[in-house]
Amino acid sequence: MKGRQYLKDLSKDLLDFLNDLDARTKEFLKREIRLTDGVRTYAQQKYLWDNRKNNPYPVGNPNNKNLPHYHGRAVDMSWNDFKDVQSVYRQDHTQDSIQTPFNRLGR
């Protein structure tokens, strides 16, 4: 997994999910997933929020105290990686079981 520095302080559930996802990505795509961010401070989130016009990806409001990045329940990865790992996850799972972990990544 690339971006291992972003694994620090993640919840155990998310860490387990990412390790499983990385193993599947290596098996099916012969490459590693790339994380680009993990736990963030209020100041880091506020910077992203203030500059969201220059960012094509969704950004959570820093005033939301339940923001998953504050609590180790979210990571960022590139959109291409996200699409690829969704396809890898589909290899072994039903449609219903696919949606739950991916939807939870952002909550």
Short mmCIF file of all heavy atoms in Angstrom, two decimals, residues 54-84:
data_model
loop_
_atom_site.label_atom_id
_atom_site.label_comp_id
_atom_site.label_asym_id
_atom_site.label_seq_id
_atom_site.Cartn_x
_atom_site.Cartn_y
_atom_site.Cartn_z
N ASN A 54 -10.95 24.92 -6.11
CA ASN A 54 -9.81 24.42 -6.90
C ASN A 54 -9.65 22.91 -6.80
O ASN A 54 -8.65 22.37 -7.26
CB ASN A 54 -8.52 25.10 -6.42
CG ASN A 54 -8.60 26.60 -6.53
OD1 ASN A 54 -9.12 27.13 -7.49
ND2 ASN A 54 -8.08 27.28 -5.53
N ASN A 55 -10.61 22.25 -6.18
CA ASN A 55 -10.51 20.82 -5.91
C ASN A 55 -11.74 20.13 -6.48
O ASN A 55 -12.86 20.45 -6.10
CB ASN A 55 -10.43 20.61 -4.38
CG ASN A 55 -10.31 19.17 -3.99
OD1 ASN A 55 -10.41 18.26 -4.80
ND2 ASN A 55 -10.09 18.95 -2.71
N PRO A 56 -11.56 19.17 -7.40
CA PRO A 56 -12.72 18.52 -8.01
C PRO A 56 -13.41 17.50 -7.10
O PRO A 56 -14.46 16.98 -7.44
CB PRO A 56 -12.12 17.82 -9.23
CG PRO A 56 -10.71 17.53 -8.84
CD PRO A 56 -10.30 18.69 -7.95
N TYR A 57 -12.84 17.22 -5.93
CA TYR A 57 -13.37 16.19 -5.05
C TYR A 57 -14.20 16.80 -3.92
O TYR A 57 -13.99 17.94 -3.54
CB TYR A 57 -12.23 15.35 -4.47
CG TYR A 57 -11.39 14.73 -5.55
CD1 TYR A 57 -10.10 15.20 -5.80
CD2 TYR A 57 -11.89 13.72 -6.36
CE1 TYR A 57 -9.33 14.65 -6.82
CE2 TYR A 57 -11.13 13.17 -7.37
CZ TYR A 57 -9.85 13.64 -7.60
OH TYR A 57 -9.11 13.10 -8.61
N PRO A 58 -15.12 16.04 -3.36
CA PRO A 58 -15.94 16.56 -2.26
C PRO A 58 -15.06 16.89 -1.04
O PRO A 58 -14.10 16.18 -0.76
CB PRO A 58 -16.89 15.41 -1.93
CG PRO A 58 -16.76 14.42 -3.02
CD PRO A 58 -15.47 14.68 -3.73
N VAL A 59 -15.45 17.94 -0.34
CA VAL A 59 -14.74 18.36 0.87
C VAL A 59 -15.78 18.61 1.95
O VAL A 59 -16.73 19.34 1.74
CB VAL A 59 -13.91 19.64 0.63
CG1 VAL A 59 -13.25 20.10 1.92
CG2 VAL A 59 -12.88 19.43 -0.46
N GLY A 60 -15.57 18.01 3.11
CA GLY A 60 -16.49 18.18 4.22
C GLY A 60 -16.27 19.51 4.93
O GLY A 60 -15.15 20.02 5.00
N ASN A 61 -17.36 20.06 5.44
CA ASN A 61 -17.30 21.31 6.20
C ASN A 61 -16.49 21.09 7.48
O ASN A 61 -16.80 20.20 8.26
CB ASN A 61 -18.72 21.75 6.53
CG ASN A 61 -18.78 23.11 7.18
OD1 ASN A 61 -17.95 23.45 8.01
ND2 ASN A 61 -19.78 23.88 6.82
N PRO A 62 -15.46 21.92 7.71
CA PRO A 62 -14.62 21.71 8.89
C PRO A 62 -15.34 21.94 10.22
O PRO A 62 -14.87 21.50 11.26
CB PRO A 62 -13.50 22.74 8.71
CG PRO A 62 -14.08 23.78 7.82
CD PRO A 62 -15.04 23.07 6.93
N ASN A 63 -16.49 22.60 10.19
CA ASN A 63 -17.24 22.85 11.42
C ASN A 63 -18.08 21.65 11.87
O ASN A 63 -18.68 21.68 12.93
CB ASN A 63 -18.12 24.09 11.27
CG ASN A 63 -17.26 25.33 11.10
OD1 ASN A 63 -16.25 25.49 11.79
ND2 ASN A 63 -17.63 26.18 10.17
N ASN A 64 -18.11 20.61 11.04
CA ASN A 64 -18.81 19.38 11.39
C ASN A 64 -17.91 18.56 12.32
O ASN A 64 -16.94 17.96 11.88
CB ASN A 64 -19.15 18.59 10.13
CG ASN A 64 -19.79 17.26 10.42
OD1 ASN A 64 -19.96 16.87 11.56
ND2 ASN A 64 -20.15 16.55 9.36
N LYS A 65 -18.23 18.54 13.60
CA LYS A 65 -17.38 17.85 14.57
C LYS A 65 -17.37 16.33 14.38
O LYS A 65 -16.52 15.64 14.92
CB LYS A 65 -17.82 18.21 15.99
CG LYS A 65 -17.62 19.68 16.30
CD LYS A 65 -17.75 19.96 17.77
CE LYS A 65 -17.67 21.41 18.12
NZ LYS A 65 -16.80 22.24 17.39
N ASN A 66 -18.32 15.81 13.61
CA ASN A 66 -18.38 14.37 13.34
C ASN A 66 -17.70 14.00 12.03
O ASN A 66 -17.85 12.87 11.57
CB ASN A 66 -19.84 13.91 13.31
CG ASN A 66 -20.48 14.01 14.67
OD1 ASN A 66 -19.86 13.68 15.67
ND2 ASN A 66 -21.70 14.49 14.72
N LEU A 67 -16.97 14.91 11.44
CA LEU A 67 -16.29 14.65 10.18
C LEU A 67 -15.41 13.40 10.32
O LEU A 67 -14.59 13.33 11.24
CB LEU A 67 -15.45 15.86 9.78
CG LEU A 67 -14.99 15.91 8.34
CD1 LEU A 67 -16.18 16.16 7.42
CD2 LEU A 67 -13.97 17.01 8.16
N PRO A 68 -15.56 12.42 9.45
CA PRO A 68 -14.82 11.16 9.60
C PRO A 68 -13.31 11.32 9.65
O PRO A 68 -12.63 10.57 10.35
CB PRO A 68 -15.26 10.34 8.38
CG PRO A 68 -16.58 10.89 8.00
CD PRO A 68 -16.51 12.36 8.34
N HIS A 69 -12.78 12.29 8.92
CA HIS A 69 -11.32 12.48 8.94
C HIS A 69 -10.81 12.87 10.32
O HIS A 69 -9.66 12.60 10.66
CB HIS A 69 -10.89 13.54 7.92
CG HIS A 69 -10.82 13.02 6.53
ND1 HIS A 69 -9.78 12.23 6.08
CD2 HIS A 69 -11.65 13.17 5.48
CE1 HIS A 69 -9.98 11.92 4.82
NE2 HIS A 69 -11.10 12.47 4.42
N TYR A 70 -11.62 13.52 11.12
CA TYR A 70 -11.22 13.90 12.47
C TYR A 70 -11.08 12.70 13.40
O TYR A 70 -10.37 12.75 14.39
CB TYR A 70 -12.22 14.87 13.11
CG TYR A 70 -12.32 16.24 12.50
CD1 TYR A 70 -13.46 17.00 12.70
CD2 TYR A 70 -11.30 16.78 11.75
CE1 TYR A 70 -13.57 18.28 12.16
CE2 TYR A 70 -11.40 18.05 11.20
CZ TYR A 70 -12.54 18.80 11.42
OH TYR A 70 -12.65 20.05 10.88
N HIS A 71 -11.80 11.63 13.07
CA HIS A 71 -11.92 10.49 13.98
C HIS A 71 -11.28 9.21 13.43
O HIS A 71 -11.54 8.12 13.95
CB HIS A 71 -13.39 10.24 14.31
CG HIS A 71 -14.07 11.45 14.87
ND1 HIS A 71 -13.87 11.87 16.17
CD2 HIS A 71 -14.89 12.35 14.29
CE1 HIS A 71 -14.56 12.98 16.37
NE2 HIS A 71 -15.19 13.30 15.26
N GLY A 72 -10.49 9.34 12.37
CA GLY A 72 -9.82 8.16 11.82
C GLY A 72 -10.73 7.21 11.09
O GLY A 72 -10.44 6.02 10.97
N ARG A 73 -11.85 7.72 10.57
CA ARG A 73 -12.81 6.87 9.87
C ARG A 73 -12.88 7.17 8.37
O ARG A 73 -13.84 6.79 7.70
CB ARG A 73 -14.19 7.04 10.50
CG ARG A 73 -14.27 6.58 11.93
CD ARG A 73 -15.69 6.56 12.48
NE ARG A 73 -16.56 7.59 11.97
CZ ARG A 73 -16.91 8.70 12.63
NH1 ARG A 73 -16.44 8.91 13.84
NH2 ARG A 73 -17.73 9.57 12.09
N ALA A 74 -11.85 7.87 7.84
CA ALA A 74 -11.86 8.19 6.41
C ALA A 74 -10.43 8.34 5.90
O ALA A 74 -9.53 8.74 6.64
CB ALA A 74 -12.62 9.49 6.16
N VAL A 75 -10.25 7.98 4.64
CA VAL A 75 -8.99 8.23 3.93
C VAL A 75 -9.35 8.80 2.57
O VAL A 75 -10.48 8.66 2.10
CB VAL A 75 -8.14 6.95 3.76
CG1 VAL A 75 -7.65 6.43 5.09
CG2 VAL A 75 -8.89 5.89 2.99
N ASP A 76 -8.38 9.41 1.96
CA ASP A 76 -8.55 9.88 0.58
C ASP A 76 -7.66 9.04 -0.32
O ASP A 76 -6.56 8.63 0.08
CB ASP A 76 -8.12 11.35 0.45
CG ASP A 76 -9.01 12.30 1.22
OD1 ASP A 76 -10.14 11.92 1.56
OD2 ASP A 76 -8.57 13.43 1.47
N MET A 77 -8.16 8.80 -1.52
CA MET A 77 -7.35 8.15 -2.56
C MET A 77 -7.76 8.78 -3.89
O MET A 77 -8.82 9.41 -3.98
CB MET A 77 -7.55 6.63 -2.57
CG MET A 77 -8.92 6.15 -2.92
SD MET A 77 -9.09 4.35 -3.04
CE MET A 77 -8.75 3.81 -1.39
N SER A 78 -6.93 8.63 -4.89
CA SER A 78 -7.27 9.22 -6.19
C SER A 78 -8.54 8.57 -6.74
O SER A 78 -8.86 7.43 -6.42
CB SER A 78 -6.11 9.04 -7.17
OG SER A 78 -6.08 7.71 -7.64
N TRP A 79 -9.25 9.31 -7.57
CA TRP A 79 -10.49 8.80 -8.16
C TRP A 79 -10.23 7.55 -8.99
O TRP A 79 -10.99 6.58 -8.93
CB TRP A 79 -11.17 9.87 -8.99
CG TRP A 79 -12.46 9.41 -9.59
CD1 TRP A 79 -12.74 9.24 -10.89
CD2 TRP A 79 -13.65 9.00 -8.87
NE1 TRP A 79 -14.03 8.77 -11.05
CE2 TRP A 79 -14.60 8.61 -9.84
CE3 TRP A 79 -13.98 8.93 -7.52
CZ2 TRP A 79 -15.87 8.17 -9.49
CZ3 TRP A 79 -15.24 8.47 -7.19
CH2 TRP A 79 -16.18 8.10 -8.17
N ASN A 80 -9.15 7.52 -9.75
CA ASN A 80 -8.84 6.33 -10.55
C ASN A 80 -8.62 5.13 -9.64
O ASN A 80 -9.08 4.03 -9.94
CB ASN A 80 -7.63 6.56 -11.44
CG ASN A 80 -7.97 7.47 -12.60
OD1 ASN A 80 -9.12 7.58 -12.99
ND2 ASN A 80 -6.96 8.13 -13.12
N ASP A 81 -7.91 5.31 -8.54
CA ASP A 81 -7.74 4.21 -7.60
C ASP A 81 -9.07 3.77 -7.03
O ASP A 81 -9.34 2.58 -6.89
CB ASP A 81 -6.81 4.62 -6.44
CG ASP A 81 -5.35 4.48 -6.79
OD1 ASP A 81 -5.04 3.97 -7.89
OD2 ASP A 81 -4.52 4.87 -5.96
N PHE A 82 -9.91 4.73 -6.69
CA PHE A 82 -11.22 4.39 -6.11
C PHE A 82 -12.03 3.54 -7.07
O PHE A 82 -12.58 2.52 -6.69
CB PHE A 82 -11.97 5.67 -5.73
CG PHE A 82 -13.28 5.42 -5.05
CD1 PHE A 82 -13.32 4.99 -3.73
CD2 PHE A 82 -14.47 5.60 -5.72
CE1 PHE A 82 -14.53 4.74 -3.10
CE2 PHE A 82 -15.68 5.35 -5.10
CZ PHE A 82 -15.71 4.92 -3.79
N LYS A 83 -12.08 3.94 -8.34
CA LYS A 83 -12.83 3.16 -9.34
C LYS A 83 -12.22 1.78 -9.50
O LYS A 83 -12.94 0.79 -9.60
CB LYS A 83 -12.88 3.90 -10.67
CG LYS A 83 -13.74 5.14 -10.63
CD LYS A 83 -13.95 5.74 -12.00
CE LYS A 83 -12.66 6.24 -12.58
NZ LYS A 83 -12.79 6.96 -13.84
N ASP A 84 -10.90 1.69 -9.53
CA ASP A 84 -10.24 0.40 -9.70
C ASP A 84 -10.51 -0.53 -8.52
O ASP A 84 -10.80 -1.71 -8.70
CB ASP A 84 -8.72 0.58 -9.85
CG ASP A 84 -8.33 1.15 -11.20
OD1 ASP A 84 -9.18 1.19 -12.11
OD2 ASP A 84 -7.17 1.57 -11.33
#
